Amino acid sequence: PIQEVLSQVPIFEKLTNKELIQIIRLIHIREYKTNEPIFKKLSPAEGMYIVSEGSVEIFEPESNIVFANLSSGDFFGELALLDEEPRSATAKATKPSKLIGFFRTDLLVLIKRYPDLGNKILLNLSRVLGERLRQTNLELIKPK
């Protein structure tokens, strides 16, 4: 089931079963209770999470603006794979949840051990970030 979940995430898109197995060796499974924080705004960014089961809310804690409600198959925090800037929002489980963590250190190990696989992931990550930036730009220019 973990391999199936990973194969649906755009960052791991078009990877072979053998490549997905290499990633599975590095990931971390974490479980969270309802309302338990996954990370808080301004905490150190370590990596991304994929919702395997449950649901997660991404929000700005001071204003309580909700940026996203995520469920099985959704992912978040992927920018942390590229930089060490603090988190820009808070993430919490909104019901009991199981998450797959893929952290910057895991990506760096992968790049060192399997450069071709690392490059595939970096290209996919770049594409995902580009798509999200384009979507944000469209949202910003929409008439109010």
Side-chain angles (χ1 to χ4, degrees):
I2 290 175
Q3 188 168 340
E4 189 177 314
V5 172
L6 288 179
S7 69
Q8 301 302 311
V9 174
I11 291 169
F12 304 117
E13 196 172 79
K14 297 180 183 170
L15 298 184
T16 66
N17 286 336
K18 185 178 177 183
E19 290 170 330
L20 287 170
I21 289 167
Q22 296 304 324
I23 293 166
I24 289 169
R25 291 181 177 157
L26 297 171
I27 61 167
H28 311 268
I29 305 297
R30 304 254 168 95
E31 294 189 14
Y32 296 88
K33 298 175 183 146
T34 302
N35 292 321
E36 184 176 356
I38 297 152
F39 55 74
K40 294 182 178 182
K41 182 178 179 179
L42 301 180
S43 64
E46 299 171 334
M48 68 175 281
Y49 294 90
I50 303 154
V51 182
S52 177
E53 297 171 18
S55 60
V56 172
E57 181 179 83
I58 311 294
F59 66 100
E60 204 296 318
E62 286 83 36
S63 65
N64 274 328
I65 293 173
V66 175
F67 298 125
N69 284 298
L70 308 172
S71 57
S72 185
D74 291 329
F75 62 98
F76 59 99
E78 67 279 359
L79 196 55
L81 293 173
L82 297 178
D83 70 23
E84 297 181 20
E85 289 297 309
R87 297 288 187 184
S88 60
T90 294
K92 73 172 181 179
T94 54
K95 64 182 179 183
S97 300
K98 183 185 287 187
L99 304 183
I100 300 168
F102 183 67
F103 302 124
R104 185 182 320 101
T105 54
D106 304 325
L107 178 59
L108 295 174
V109 165
L110 207 59
I111 290 168
K112 188 172 185 174
R113 286 186 192 160
Y114 309 100
D116 289 343
L117 175 55
N119 284 333
K120 282 185 185 180
I121 292 170
L122 288 172
L123 284 171
N124 286 342
L125 179 59
S126 299
R127 186 176 38 78
V128 165
L129 294 172
E131 288 170 7
R132 290 194 174 183
L133 180 58
R134 275 190 290 281
Q135 186 61 43
T136 298
N137 288 343
L138 289 174
E139 293 293 323
L140 289 172
I141 62 172
K142 271 186 186 175
K144 294 185 180 190

